[in-house]
Amino acid sequence: MFDQETLNSFEGGFKVTVPSVATIIGLPVISNTGYSISFPLSLQENVLVRRNDKVEWIDKEIFVSDFKLLSTDGTWSDPIKIMANISKQRGWENGLKAIVNNGINFNSGTGYLISFISSVILSFSLANGIKLPNSEILQLNTEIQEKVTGDSYYNVALTQLEGRRNNLLFSEGKDRKFRNEVINFEPYSIYIIEENSLDNNLNLGTFRKYMKKFIEENMTNKDRNRLNYPYSSIAAHFDREGDYYLDMKKAAEINDVNAFLDALSSYSQSVMFNLNAVSQFQKIMGNLLLKYGARYFSFNVSEYAGSVLLFGDALTISRIKDNVIREYYSTTNKTVNLREVSISDPISYEKIII
């Protein structure tokens, strides 16, 4: 976070806070239903922004560019350049200077790129005195995602804008209904487990190929006894995916945290054993958590190692700290971080008054 001295020395402008996101069911890359349950995490990206005649973004690397119309021939894909182009096309005259304090691990699968894109959109709009509605921020975010990666995670950007503290956001697919549902996780706390590694998730690329064929050949409607592995396992997971969602939704509506986490546990274990889309880190960690009695966890799947979201009471968390982290290191010679997180507020911004 920025300390008081930093805030006071940054003349004028705005402070923007963008949360990361945990999607506990329905992550688009491994989902087939269009339903999702997600929430904004207390791991956040903080941005100080003010007007400037040039675009200057100071983070781990420094990006400086004259504020001018940029090429649209598809040879560039930097979110800052893309938004600078959109801004100019809209007649926004001001460039920006922004300082970023990033608390989101880019390889943890909690929406680093999408958080960054949201912060860029808001930085440009606020520097030009424009307060965009959430619907337009969402549209711009998904548009930029597609230009950068060729795909978009609609539900993550939606969660950043519409999620609420201590609420779960239930979303019924792109452009469908969504709603927040208050839930009390006591006596359980939420922890995120991340590996200190930049390893790629090789399993995800393989899964995507199988998933593409599964959809193209409409295997959902085929006789399960005639499907070979891994398509039989994928079908087994998708046969139950909608039921897991409905069970969790029903439990949240009556604030039955144990029923909710039981359904989450069943879903997460199905992802781990049937889809084979989780990283090696997540697979080993999932098995260790089960070994030491931690049933309630969820995977934040990404192209990298990703992370594991753990729901546990005090005794469970103590057991994990005493056993799982040590055994993971002895097995892999790699260290992990275990830190407590909470369901946070959505994107916020405030004017800096000197």
Side-chain angles (χ1 to χ4, degrees), residues 49-255:
V49 57
R50 69 182 180 198
R51 295 177 182 178
N52 198 2
D53 59 349
K54 291 185 178 182
V55 175
E56 184 175 343
W57 195 274
I58 305 171
D59 192 4
K60 294 178 182 177
E61 298 180 358
I62 298 176
F63 174 93
V64 179
S65 173
D66 290 333
F67 190 64
K68 60 184 179 181
L69 191 64
L70 298 168
S71 168
T72 57
D73 62 5
T75 58
W76 47 269
S77 59
D78 188 298
I80 301 173
K81 292 181 179 179
I82 295 173
M83 191 59 208
N85 190 34
I86 293 171
S87 179
K88 193 66 174 180
Q89 289 171 348
R90 291 184 172 212
W92 296 355
E93 297 181 352
N94 295 316
L96 58 86
K97 180 175 182 179
I99 302 173
V100 184
N101 181 304
N102 195 347
I104 305 172
N105 185 342
F106 86 92
N107 66 330
S108 68
T110 56
Y112 168 83
L113 176 62
I114 299 166
S115 298
F116 178 66
I117 291 172
S118 290
S119 68
V120 170
I121 293 168
L122 286 167
S123 294
F124 272 96
S125 62
L126 292 172
N128 285 276
I130 307 295
K131 185 177 180 181
L132 296 174
N134 282 358
S135 59
E136 192 167 357
I137 298 171
L138 183 61
Q139 183 270 324
L140 285 170
N141 192 303
T142 53
E143 176 185 327
I144 295 173
Q145 283 185 62
E146 288 169 358
K147 287 183 177 180
V148 173
T149 68
D151 199 0
S152 64
Y153 284 20
Y154 173 91
N155 73 305
V156 176
L158 177 69
T159 304
Q160 290 175 338
L161 292 163
E162 302 292 351
R164 295 292 179 267
R165 180 177 292 274
N166 297 325
N167 280 231
L168 301 175
L169 184 76
F170 290 79
S171 176
E172 298 181 0
K174 189 172 182 179
D175 299 327
R176 299 183 188 176
K177 296 179 180 178
F178 65 89
R179 67 171 180 169
N180 281 285
E181 192 73 50
V182 178
I183 189 165
N184 179 6
F185 277 114
E186 292 182 358
Y188 304 102
S189 299
I190 309 174
Y191 283 77
I192 191 168
I193 308 174
E194 301 167 310
E195 186 183 59
N196 296 314
S197 168
L198 299 181
D199 289 348
N200 290 321
N201 180 1
L202 301 179
N203 293 329
L204 184 58
T206 302
F207 168 76
R208 278 176 161 156
K209 293 177 183 177
Y210 290 137
M211 179 74 164
K212 185 173 183 289
K213 184 176 180 180
F214 185 88
I215 293 173
E216 287 177 346
E217 297 187 11
N218 197 24
M219 294 187 190
T220 301
N221 297 323
K222 291 186 177 181
D223 184 349
R224 298 292 178 260
N225 295 323
R226 295 180 177 272
L227 291 178
N228 296 323
Y229 180 85
Y231 304 107
S232 55
S233 294
I234 294 173
H237 175 81
F238 288 147
D239 283 347
R240 289 281 294 132
E241 187 179 33
D243 294 332
Y244 294 134
Y245 172 85
L246 292 175
D247 288 346
M248 293 165 71
K249 182 180 178 182
K250 185 185 299 183
E253 288 172 348
I254 59 175
N255 201 33

